[in-house]
Amino acid sequence: MKTKITELLGIAYPIFQGGMAWVAEYHLAAAVSEAGALGIIGAGGAPAAFVREQIQKTKELTERPFGVNVMLMNPEADEIAKVIVEEGVKVVTTGAGNPGKYMAMWKEAGIKVIPVVASVALAKMMERAGADAVIAEGTESGGHIGEATTMSLVPQVVDAVSVPVVAAGGIADGRGFAAAMMLGAEAVQMGTRFLVASECTVHENYKKKVIAAKDIDSEVTGRANGHPVRQIRNKLTREYLQMEKNGASLEEMEKLTLGSLRKAVVEGDVVSGTLMAGQIAGMVNKEQSCAEILAEVMDQAEILLKLK
Ligand code: TUI
């Protein structure tokens, strides 16, 4: 399928794999890119040296384009921004902030810059700053989220900017893909569906929780302190939300979540770990290879869009 995004990036399918912190490492990113979509390494909170290694390992596994997501709250974001240039990465996505200060450096290096935005205002600002496209991410997504839903955000961003828009949040099959196209998107980004891909190295316990999750099994923690994070309900979210209700200090709550994503992803602690996942987890019910996921989504979408 040809869209402005497949042309811009030289990929076969207009699908991005979300740059999930801790989860989206080189095995997953390379597998997605090899299968014809855009694999993305999630830098998350990792040190710059680790991100460089991940990039080099991805290059060993695929010659196709892949991206790196810079989580802008990472204390090493400045160094990671430079590593991306030094390693010749072709596509950058950003999240959890405004990447304005890196834009000139990335553009000069010929990198395609595609910030994640959760509002029309940031989308417009990013277009003015030179973004090649934007990812409009709805509140259905897992992890750090904004307020607007995908259904309302995507068409409003499409109307507000002239660069291509990638839709994210609540998309996990061909129906979601087709709906996003109807809203004016030129591609979609999926996170939760790829979290359970066979090439994804996240702990088996985490995958099982996503596969077992139902439609209303996610919870948003951190609304009170301005860092809303969507994750699957467990002991951690219950404790966290109780503390929020009781007006606990930020410090106390940070103690609870320090290293909790790593605990879930690496150790498989589904009780006290952070199980970031989107609302669509209820529909994600089996592990498949990245190639199978992409073939299934594209097949269904092409039928719905009457392209075949
Ligand atoms: O970034 C994401 N999703 C993420 S980042 C992440 S790592 C993390 N771990 C623990 C706590 C917090 C984060 C897990 N999931 N998605 C992209 C996204 N960006 N969603 C919302 C935003 C966003 C929000 C506000 C972007 C910009 C913004 O304000 C920009 C400004 O003006 O500063």
Side-chain angles (χ1 to χ4, degrees), residues 8-9 66-68 80-93 102-114 130-133:
L8 178 73
L9 304 180
F66 66 88
V68 174
I80 293 169
K82 283 185 219 140
V83 163
I84 284 166
V85 174
E86 289 162 10
E87 293 295 328
V89 173
K90 302 282 192 301
V91 188
V92 174
T93 66
Y102 308 122
M103 221 67 162
M105 174 176 67
W106 285 338
K107 295 307 303 169
E108 210 164 294
I111 298 171
K112 302 284 185 252
V113 184
I114 313 184
D132 296 280

Side-chain angles (χ1 to χ4, degrees), residues 18-23 44 69 71 73 95-96 116 118 137-147 168-170 189 191-192 195 206 210 218-223 225-233 237 261 265 274-281:
M20 300 166 280
W22 280 101
V23 171
N69 175 269
M71 205 280 284
M73 294 191 297
V116 174
E137 187 189 273
T139 195
E140 296 92 322
S141 305
H144 180 66
I145 51 170
E147 284 290 337
Q189 173 165 284
T192 306
L195 200 148
Y206 196 145
V210 172
S218 78
E219 199 87 80
V220 179
T221 59
R223 282 205 200 277
N225 60 43
H227 290 296
V229 172
R230 184 179 302 284
Q231 51 194 294
I232 296 174
R233 187 182 299 108
T237 63
L261 181 57
V265 172
T274 300
L275 298 165
M276 293 186 189
Q279 288 184 332
I280 207 72

Side-chain angles (χ1 to χ4, degrees), residues 288-300:
Q288 290 170 299
S289 71
C290 293
E292 281 169 345
I293 291 171
L294 291 170
E296 207 174 276
V297 171
M298 290 308 300
D299 256 16
Q300 193 183 16

